[in-house]
Amino acid sequence: MNGVNALTAKDAILEEAQFRQYREQKEEFMRTVDPTMEHLAYWLKSSYSIVVLCDPSGYILESKGDPAFLKDTEKIQVHRGACWSEQVRGTNSAGTVIVEQKPLAVVGTDHYLPSNHMLYCAASPIFDPYGELVAVLDFSGHSAMYHPSLLGMVDVMARKIEDWLLIHRPDRQMVISLYPEQSAKHHALLAVDQDGVVTGGNREAQQLLHLDKKRFGQVHLTELIADIEPLLGRQKDTAAARTMPLHAKASGQRHWHAKVLIDTRPPQLAASPPSRPKPTRPPNRTGLTSFDELYGQDEQFLAAIRLAKRAAKTDYTVMLFGESGTGKDVVSQAIHLESNRADKPFVAINCGAIPKSLLESELFGYEPGAFTGAKQSGQPGKIEQAHQGTLFLDEIAEMPLEMQVALLRVLQDFTVHRVGGTKPIRVDVRIITATHTDLWQKVQEGSFRADLFYRLQGVQITLPPLRERADRLQLAALLLQGIEAQLGTGPLMLSASAKKLIESYSWPGNVRQLAAALREAAFLSEGGTIEQASFPAYILSSYSPPEAIELAAPTANTEKNEIVEVLRQTGGNVSQTARILGIGRNTVYRKLKKLLDQDGPHP
């Protein structure tokens, strides 16, 4: 993987004060899993093994177990606050489970970094009731002691934690246990609200009912299971509720049994799908873009938006990746509007558009007479202006190193010092950053501080470029509706040749470029149909219809060029590269290492 090496991995560790603050944000979850962690630590304490819990960013939240092995693993940073994401340490169980989101073991030399070859690691994901990854549970020990049964054991424990999270969440809900007529290791658990709408489920429920997590909150239980209506009625005595045979619609003739585990719903219960429409949100009058105003049917884009909505409910820092024009700015606004800071300021600053000499005063403000031309009253900076709200730092990769140091101090103690001032000013801000460049590569080059990178890492969201989105034509049609209103024309349509251009052109400027191109083409077109010839000349001059593209002749460096090109297109994402090439991630690592060894050192 690009940038993975033992030296940088050693730096991927939160300082003690940072870690305390980081973990405080996850305190409720930690209280839930702590009894399980204590139980597993007691079980492992004399086995030269440990249990480790990581968050979705790869940071170790807790490690417990055999004291001797804990001491040995300190040398390779298996301890609280260390980051074990795949981006930082290459293939390892926790980091790779975060990517794959399924149980797996990494033993000995399967680890990417040689310093980790001593380990076996068996890990399983932990999902919340909505199907989102919240943590990774890991058993680790000496590689010679690995047994395949360990993977099954850690997966069982992870699923038990998931079930606890589902059953004990504070929502007013009914939780139903489903199990087949034959014995089963795990029961499928489903949560429904007072209207009978499915609001959560464990992995078994998702698998048995073919229930994609994005359908939670959208599908009624009667759409999934036949003869379920009697169970949706108020259960007078949950513990004594009778078991009922049920027919699952998605599983042919298979029959299950069902029982109500808990029922905390309010007394009024609709046993059939709600007939009244859901209440709509009040109009957005902030001038910012909300999630409801973002359009997309492409799965990559929708996955990014789902993650953004989930991140919005927390105070985590968010790091948005994506090419220019992919919508990082509007997604940041939507996150703010969905957060509990929505009624507070949203302040944006482009770190690459402000001269270096002015950036400090823009960010931190200044006192009266701090410099020539300063206002006599002084001025609060962007960070102060965003107090109790959200600060959006666009093009964060362009921030000068000295400003990076100052920003890191703000994130550590949440105070700012104005230019020319001595008094610290307390601030409470949520940080969202955005960049179109590989920020980790900037760290490797020394132009971006590693400690600031780790502090900002929080939740990483990647917005796909337009050329990779499968909904380009639908998006173009939506943009045309707005253009119709601007021009005061009748309905606008795209000709077949215009559609072909939209589908096959690379759109380096992404959605922003598409919108501008459609505005010009609509203005130049007559009769309501937009032809290809009406698109801007600079697009037409560089556009080659798909049938005109010829395959390049193979060369001796074809394999290397292909891997490097796909890595470039995916921003160094090895998992996505492997899927595109149809090979495993370990194969990508191996081929890269082989190719680099063949090329020898580079200046």
Side-chain angles (χ1 to χ4, degrees), residues 275-300:
S275 57
R276 289 175 297 179
K278 294 181 179 179
T280 57
R281 295 181 181 178
N284 173 23
R285 294 188 174 91
T286 63
L288 304 177
T289 301
S290 69
F291 281 120
D292 292 340
E293 296 169 275
L294 296 179
Y295 174 82
Q297 295 182 12
D298 174 74
E299 185 51 42
Q300 282 189 80

Side-chain angles (χ1 to χ4, degrees), residues 76 84 89 91-92 108 111-120:
I76 55 172
W84 277 74
R89 299 176 194 268
T91 302
N92 71 88
H111 288 91
Y112 181 70
L113 291 179
S115 58
N116 300 334
H117 288 178
M118 63 172 282
L119 293 174
Y120 81 74

Side-chain angles (χ1 to χ4, degrees), residues 323-326 464-469 471-473 475-476 479 494 497-521 530 532 534-536 538-540 542-543:
E323 295 177 5
S324 178
T326 51
L466 183 60
R467 62 182 173 275
E468 293 181 7
R469 288 179 57 166
D471 59 353
R472 290 187 293 280
L473 285 179
L475 181 58
L479 292 171
L494 294 167
S497 62
K499 289 180 180 179
K500 184 180 292 186
L501 183 149
I502 291 171
E503 286 279 58
S504 53
Y505 182 64
S506 62
W507 299 110
N510 295 293
V511 178
R512 188 180 296 126
Q513 182 188 15
L514 174 62
L518 285 171
R519 279 195 297 269
E520 181 173 339
I530 298 175
Q532 182 186 118
S534 298
F535 277 77
Y538 79 92
I539 290 180
L540 297 177
S542 59
Y543 168 66

Side-chain angles (χ1 to χ4, degrees), residues 337-348:
L337 290 178
E338 194 82 355
S339 74
N340 59 8
R341 298 172 180 261
D343 60 341
K344 303 299 182 182
F346 175 87
V347 179

Side-chain angles (χ1 to χ4, degrees), residues 97-127:
V97 164
I98 290 169
V99 176
E100 292 289 330
Q101 301 206 356
K102 63 182 181 182
L104 58 85
V106 179
V107 182
T109 55
D110 289 341
H111 288 91
Y112 181 70
L113 291 179
S115 58
N116 300 334
H117 288 178
M118 63 172 282
L119 293 174
Y120 81 74
C121 300
S124 180
I126 298 174
F127 297 99

Side-chain angles (χ1 to χ4, degrees), residues 399-451:
M399 178 175 282
L401 281 169
E402 56 267 35
M403 286 298 95
Q404 294 176 30
V405 176
L407 178 60
L408 183 61
R409 284 199 299 269
V410 172
L411 296 176
Q412 288 173 337
D413 59 22
F414 294 96
T415 60
V416 297
H417 289 80
R418 291 184 181 181
V419 176
T422 57
K423 184 179 69 173
I425 300 171
R426 193 77 180 167
V427 291
D428 169 24
V429 294
R430 195 262 184 89
I431 304 289
I432 301 177
T433 64
T435 179
H436 69 280
T437 63
D438 184 346
L439 202 57
W440 183 246
Q441 185 62 37
K442 293 282 188 180
V443 173
Q444 309 308 302
E445 295 169 357
S447 60
F448 199 88
R449 293 180 61 94
D451 46 5

Side-chain angles (χ1 to χ4, degrees), residues 39 53 63 159 190 221 224-225 230 235 250 305 309 324 350 358 371 414 435 477 488 517 536 567 574 584:
H39 172 75
L53 188 73
S63 59
R159 290 171 187 264
L190 274 177
L221 191 60
L224 302 174
I225 304 174
Q235 305 294 310
I305 296 304
K309 286 182 177 179
S324 178
N350 189 319
L358 298 179
F371 51 85
F414 294 96
T435 179
L567 274 170
V574 173

Side-chain angles (χ1 to χ4, degrees), residues 67-88:
F69 193 66
L70 280 170
K71 186 174 181 180
D72 285 348
T73 54
E74 282 277 338
K75 303 169 187 174
I76 55 172
Q77 297 90 47
V78 184
H79 58 74
R80 303 198 317 172
C83 184
W84 277 74
S85 70
E86 198 175 61
Q87 185 181 31
V88 171

